[in-house]
């Protein structure tokens, strides 16, 4: 596959709103970094060896864990790689990293399904996954798919120009002195999952190591409401495909304060605390079924700007 051709395709498929917010040169540099990373996973034996050791599947070889290039037709080629949903070895899927074509059609979807089933037979994948700015329900009504994570994106300046959410003044964010709350935080997440069937697919507790890193970077905050510890929120500097800015990695409230409009106020205050000027991108990765987080993002002016689709095999 030709990297210049891939860059042309990726630029064409970058959401229009992101092109309005970021200069072309910056987006293309981000895309080049993404493309180079994908080719590294195609060429690098050390990557596939580590992946193989960590996610061994009976009958597979280390080379199977590298990114693969698959020809769908004489003019249509994809680069893809094996992934495991929530690291569950029985829930393998194939991530489409890049294509040399801009538009999918039903023939290409079907050709990809046949080729992927054959290439990755050892892993028995349930789907392949594509990132797209399009709404597939309208564009491909006969395609069998489900939505996974979507990017919700906004400019810091635009967000801060909006009216403050209700209950904004009741929220206080404090950088914690220590991490003694971690077991309580873990329990909150586990309890939420128990109370919301299916939430295990999109809700999980950050590891103690991640919490320690965020604490060290000073982007981790305890939430207080009426002087009571009410949860945890955090961001980190991140690059995702065509996005670069601050990624919201956690927003967790205790049950007492859920569903009472504190989420939007908490997120708005968090965005105010983030470094960067008015042109800094703020974004989150939100699962289609995570309705509370989707509502919170929308209320603060974050716009859906790309969705990962699972195309079922």
């Amino acid at each position: 596959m030709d990297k210049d051709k891939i860059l042309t395709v990726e630029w064409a498929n970058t959401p229009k709103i992101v092109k309005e917010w970021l200069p072309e040169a910056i987006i293309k540099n981000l895309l080049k970094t993404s493309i180079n990373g994908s080719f590294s996973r195609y060429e690098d034996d050390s990557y596939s060896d580590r992946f193989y050791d960590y996610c061994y599947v009976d009958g597979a070889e280390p080379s199977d864990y590298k990114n693969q290039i698959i020809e769908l037709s004489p003019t249509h080629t994809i680069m893809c790689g094996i992934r495991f949903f929530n690291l569950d070895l029985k829930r393998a899927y194939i991530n489409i990293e890049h294509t040399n074509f801009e538009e999918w059609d039903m023939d290409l979807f079907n050709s990809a399904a046949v080729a992927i089933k054959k290439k990755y037979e050892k892993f028995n994948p349930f789907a392949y996954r594509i990132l797209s700015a399009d709404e597939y329900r309208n564009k491909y009504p006969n395609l069998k798919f489900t939505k996974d994570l979507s990017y919700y994106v906004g400019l810091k300046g635009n967000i801060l120009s909006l009216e403050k959410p209700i209950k904004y003044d009741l929220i206080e964010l404090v950088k914690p002195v220590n991490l003694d709350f971690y077991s309580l935080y873990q329990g909150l997440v586990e309890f939420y999952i128990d109370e919301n069937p299916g939430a295990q697919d999109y809700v999980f507790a950050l590891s103690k190591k991640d919490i320690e890193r965020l604490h060290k970077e000073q982007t981790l905050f305890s939430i207080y409401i009426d002087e009571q510890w009410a949860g945890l929120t955090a961001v980190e500097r991140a690059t995702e495909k065509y996005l670069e800015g601050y990624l919201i990695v956690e927003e967790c409230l205790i049950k007492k304060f859920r569903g009472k409009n504190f989420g939007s106020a908490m997120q708005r205050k968090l965005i105010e605390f983030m470094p960067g000027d008015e042109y800094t991108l703020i974004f989150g990765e939100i699962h289609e079924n995570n309705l509370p987080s989707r509502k919170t993002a929308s209320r603060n002016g974050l716009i859906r700007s790309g969705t990962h689709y699972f195309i079922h095999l």
Side-chain angles (χ1 to χ4, degrees):
M1 294 182 76
D2 179 71
K3 289 185 180 181
D4 289 337
K5 176 60 177 176
I6 293 174
L7 178 60
T8 299
V9 170
E10 294 289 358
W11 169 251
N13 289 333
T14 298
K16 291 180 181 179
I17 191 68
V18 176
K19 291 179 178 178
E20 292 177 12
W21 288 336
L22 290 180
E24 179 176 343
I26 289 178
I27 296 175
K28 286 188 172 178
N29 280 334
L30 292 171
L31 293 174
K32 287 177 183 177
T33 299
S34 172
I35 293 166
N36 288 335
S38 295
F39 271 84
S40 175
R41 293 187 289 276
Y42 171 69
E43 299 163 346
D44 186 1
D45 290 337
S46 63
Y47 164 80
S48 58
D49 287 344
R50 291 192 304 272
F51 199 176
Y52 169 81
D53 289 339
Y54 193 72
C55 295
Y56 172 73
V57 172
D58 190 34
E61 300 292 335
S63 60
D64 296 324
Y65 292 78
K66 286 184 176 182
N67 279 353
Q68 309 289 329
I69 293 176
I70 300 176
E71 187 177 283
L72 305 183
S73 80
T75 55
H76 295 81
T77 305
I78 61 174
M79 176 181 281
C80 56
I82 184 69
R83 302 290 184 270
F84 299 96
F85 192 82
N86 288 348
L87 294 180
D88 184 345
L89 300 185
K90 295 182 179 179
R91 302 178 74 185
Y93 68 92
I94 308 307
N95 196 58
I96 306 298
E97 303 266 313
H98 305 290
T99 70
N100 68 345
F101 55 91
E102 295 179 18
E103 287 280 342
W104 288 81
D105 58 32
M106 289 306 299
D107 287 339
L108 288 171
F109 285 127
N110 292 333
S111 295
V114 171
I116 284 170
K117 282 182 180 180
K118 182 178 179 181
K119 185 71 174 178
Y120 291 97
E121 182 180 7
K122 299 168 186 174
F123 298 100
N124 191 30
F126 72 88
Y128 60 96
R129 193 174 81 148
I130 299 172
L131 174 63
S132 176
D134 294 327
E135 176 50 67
Y136 274 18
R137 197 173 307 282
N138 299 328
K139 193 169 185 177
Y140 307 110
N142 297 321
L143 185 65
K144 184 181 178 183
F145 69 86
T146 54
K147 291 180 178 179
D148 186 31
L149 298 172
S150 292
Y151 294 125
Y152 281 75
V153 188
L155 277 182
K156 183 176 180 180
N158 291 352
I159 295 167
L160 298 187
S161 70
L162 299 174
E163 184 178 351
K164 292 176 181 176
I166 61 172
K167 300 190 175 179
Y168 170 88
D169 292 329
L170 300 178
I171 296 281
E172 183 181 8
L173 299 186
V174 178
K175 293 178 181 178
V177 176
N178 56 55
L179 304 180
D180 292 346
F181 57 80
Y182 184 72
S183 59
L184 175 59
Y185 159 67
Q186 276 187 308
L188 283 174
V189 175
E190 291 169 2
F191 187 68
Y192 182 88
I193 292 172
D194 288 342
E195 283 198 319
N196 295 272
Q200 68 275 5
D201 284 347
Y202 56 87
V203 174
F204 56 91
L206 295 173
S207 69
K208 184 70 175 292
K209 184 177 180 180
D210 284 334
I211 290 289
E212 289 171 346
R213 174 178 55 80
L214 293 166
H215 182 246
K216 184 177 181 180
E217 294 172 358
Q218 297 192 327
T219 58
L220 175 75
F221 300 91
S222 285
I223 305 160
Y224 285 86
I225 300 173
D226 293 334
E227 299 185 350
Q228 176 185 349
W229 189 87
L232 192 68
T233 189
V235 299
E236 65 181 1
R237 187 76 184 176
T239 299
E240 297 281 348
K241 198 81 168 189
Y242 42 72
L243 301 173
E244 182 177 47
Y246 283 92
L247 172 66
I248 300 170
V249 294
E250 184 57 284
E251 292 177 325
C252 179
L253 283 170
I254 63 176
K255 185 177 181 179
K256 176 181 177 180
F257 296 113
R258 290 188 207 130
K260 298 179 180 179
N261 295 310
F262 285 107
S264 300
M266 169 190 66
Q267 187 179 89
R268 169 61 180 265
K269 192 150 285 192
L270 174 66
I271 291 169
E272 290 180 359
F273 273 57
M274 291 181 193
D277 60 20
E278 61 182 320
Y279 300 105
T280 300
L281 278 189
I282 311 297
F283 61 101
E285 290 182 289
I286 305 176
H287 193 276
E288 182 66 13
N289 295 335
N290 192 344
L291 296 180
S293 291
R294 287 171 54 194
K295 288 179 181 178
T296 293
S298 296
R299 286 169 180 162
N300 278 313
L302 275 68
I303 300 169
R304 190 196 293 253
S305 304
T307 297
H308 289 95
Y309 291 90
F310 281 125
I311 314 302
H312 292 277
L313 298 172

